[in-house]
C-alpha cells in the first residue's frame, strides 16, 4: 500500500507528498477550525508536515487541525510543525532592545534582517515620518512579529511602552497572549498567533499525543526520513521544529 504523506499549507511538494492548501495543491481546502480531513481514514497517514502555516491561523483552528492530524496518523506516525520561534524573538529583544531584529536573516530568502524587512516596507507603503518612527520602535517591532507580517507593517499596532515593559517580564505565554489579543480580524494577511516549542507540544497533547512522545527538534533533525526535502534552509534562522509521534 502506498505510504501517505501530507504537506499542509503548501501548493507544491516533493514527489510522493500530498499538498493541502486553500490556494491550490492536490487538495484545495481551507484549513480552519471547522476543517475535517474526511478524505483520509483513521490511522492511514504516515507523516504530516507544515511550515510557517500555523502562525497565520487562530488558535482554535490550529487545535482542530492537530486533532485531525492525530486522528488520521497511523500508530507510529509523525507530525512535524515548523513556525517562527517566539521564544527566540523575545530573548533577542531582552538581550538588547536597540539591536533587536538585526542579527540574522529574517527567513524569507531576501538576505535582509527582520528590521531591514520592516524598513523596506515602510518605504514601499509610503508611511509618513511619524508612522515610520512609531513602527520602528524596538518594542513595536517585537510585537509586530506576532500580530503582523513583514509585508504588512501598516497592520501593526502601537503598544504603550510602559505597559509593554510590565508585560515583557511576565511568563512568555502570558506576554504573547497579551500581544496577540490585539490582532485585527479579517485582515488581508498576517501573523495572528505566536508559538513557543512548549506551546506546540501542549497543543499536540490536547490532540491526543502523550507529552513523552512530543519532541523539540532542530533544523533537519527529525524522525521523518525525507526531512532534507522539506525543511527549508531559508527558514532555519527564525524557526522552531516540534514533532509528535502517535502511540
Amino acid at each position: 500500500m502506498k505510504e501517505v504523506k501530507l504537506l499542509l499549507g503548501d501548493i507544491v511538494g516533493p514527489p510522493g507528498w500530498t499538498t493541502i492548501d486553500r490556494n491550490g495543491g492536490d487538495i484545495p481546502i481551507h484549513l480552519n477550525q471547522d476543517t475535517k480531513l474526511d478524505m483520509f481514514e483513521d490511522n492511514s497517514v504516515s507523516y504530516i508536515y507544515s511550515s510557517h502555516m500555523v502562525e497565520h491561523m487562530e488558535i482554535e483552528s490550529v487545535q482542530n487541525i492537530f486533532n485531525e492530524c492525530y486522528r488520521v496518523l497511523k500508530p507510529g506516525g509523525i507530525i512535524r510543525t515548523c513556525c517562527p520561534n517566539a521564544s527566540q524573538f523575545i530573548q533577542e529583544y531582552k538581550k538588547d532592545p536597540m539591536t533587536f531584529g538585526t542579527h540574522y536573516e529574517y527567513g524569507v530568502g531576501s538576505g535582509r534582517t527582520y528590521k531591514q524587512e520592516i524598513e523596506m516596507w515602510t518605504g514601499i507603503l509610503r508611511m509618513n515620518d511619524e508612522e515610520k518612527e512609531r513602527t520602528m520602535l524596538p518594542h513595536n517591532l517585537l510585537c509586530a512579529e506576532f500580530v503582523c507580517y513583514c509585508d504588512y507593517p501598516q497592520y501593526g499596532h502601537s503598544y504603550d511602552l510602559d505597559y509593554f515593559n510590565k508585560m515583557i517580564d511576565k511568563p512568555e505565554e502570558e506576554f504573547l497572549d497579551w500581544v496577540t489579543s490585539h490582532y485585527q480580524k479579517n485582515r488581508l494577511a498576517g501573523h495572528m498567533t505566536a508559538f513557543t516549542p512548549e506551546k506546540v507540544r501542549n497543543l499536540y497533547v490536547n490532540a491526543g499525543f502523550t507529552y513523552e512522545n512530543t519532541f523539540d527538534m532542530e533544523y533537519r533533525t527529525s524522525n521523518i526520513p525525507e526531512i532534507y526535502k522539506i525543511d527549508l534552509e531559508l527558514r532555519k534562522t527564525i524557526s522552531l521544529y516540534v514533532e509528535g509521534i502517535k502511540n
Side-chain angles (χ1 to χ4, degrees):
M1 183 179 295
K2 183 180 178 181
E3 193 170 52
V4 181
K5 300 174 286 187
L6 306 181
L7 279 180
L8 306 183
D10 273 297
I11 297 174
V12 178
W17 288 80
T18 298
T19 56
I20 302 177
D21 189 83
R22 66 180 177 178
N23 294 317
D26 299 311
I27 302 176
I29 60 173
H30 188 187
L31 298 171
N32 59 31
Q33 62 184 8
D34 300 316
T35 301
K36 300 298 179 187
L37 300 177
D38 291 335
M39 64 290 298
F40 301 103
E41 297 180 357
D42 294 1
N43 305 310
S44 63
V45 175
S46 296
Y47 306 116
I48 301 174
Y49 181 92
S50 69
S51 177
H52 287 249
M53 177 189 78
V54 295
E55 68 272 19
H56 296 274
M57 303 168 68
E58 295 186 60
I59 194 65
E60 295 82 5
S61 296
V62 176
Q63 186 64 73
N64 175 62
I65 295 304
F66 286 172
N67 294 348
E68 280 294 283
C69 289
Y70 184 81
R71 178 184 66 79
V72 303
L73 278 172
K74 298 176 179 179
I78 300 168
I79 182 174
R80 182 177 174 94
T81 300
C82 165
C83 66
N85 188 339
S87 292
Q88 175 179 316
F89 283 97
I90 292 170
Q91 294 309 312
E92 180 190 348
Y93 177 90
K94 286 183 173 181
K95 186 175 181 180
D96 184 359
M98 298 311 297
T99 63
F100 172 73
T102 66
H103 299 291
Y104 45 79
E105 184 182 357
Y106 179 52
V108 294
S110 67
R112 291 182 288 270
T113 65
Y114 175 60
K115 186 174 182 179
Q116 289 170 336
E117 286 289 323
I118 300 296
E119 285 177 327
M120 178 188 72
W121 281 100
T122 59
I124 291 174
L125 294 165
R126 299 181 180 179
M127 287 186 177
N128 61 42
D129 291 343
E130 182 180 348
E131 290 172 332
K132 287 182 181 180
E133 182 178 1
R134 182 174 65 248
T135 298
M136 299 307 299
L137 290 172
H139 74 288
N140 282 334
L141 279 178
L142 174 64
C143 293
E145 165 59 25
F146 307 134
V147 291
C148 189
Y149 194 56
C150 66
D151 299 19
Y152 295 90
Q154 77 271 33
Y155 292 119
H157 300 273
S158 180
Y159 291 81
D160 178 80
L161 181 58
D162 289 337
Y163 197 76
F164 170 93
N165 286 334
K166 294 178 181 178
M167 295 303 298
I168 191 67
D169 290 327
K170 301 283 187 180
E172 286 184 349
E173 290 302 328
E174 185 175 349
F175 169 72
L176 292 169
D177 285 345
W178 171 71
V179 174
T180 57
S181 71
H182 294 77
Y183 176 76
Q184 298 170 345
K185 295 182 181 295
N186 301 317
R187 297 186 320 192
L188 294 175
H191 291 178
M192 63 178 76
T193 311
F195 295 91
T196 64
E198 188 67 12
K199 184 170 185 174
V200 177
R201 295 181 73 178
N202 287 331
L203 291 170
Y204 284 174
V205 171
N206 292 342
F209 297 87
T210 62
Y211 188 82
E212 293 73 19
N213 279 330
T214 65
F215 306 94
D216 184 6
M217 308 295 283
E218 300 290 338
Y219 168 68
R220 291 188 178 174
T221 300
S222 176
N223 294 294
I224 298 175
E226 298 177 307
I227 196 60
Y228 66 95
K229 294 182 179 180
I230 50 178
D231 259 357
L232 299 178
E233 185 174 4
L234 65 87
R235 296 293 196 187
K236 69 180 182 180
T237 58
I238 64 170
S239 297
L240 61 78
Y241 303 87
V242 178
E243 292 188 357
I245 301 177
K246 184 173 179 178
N247 291 337

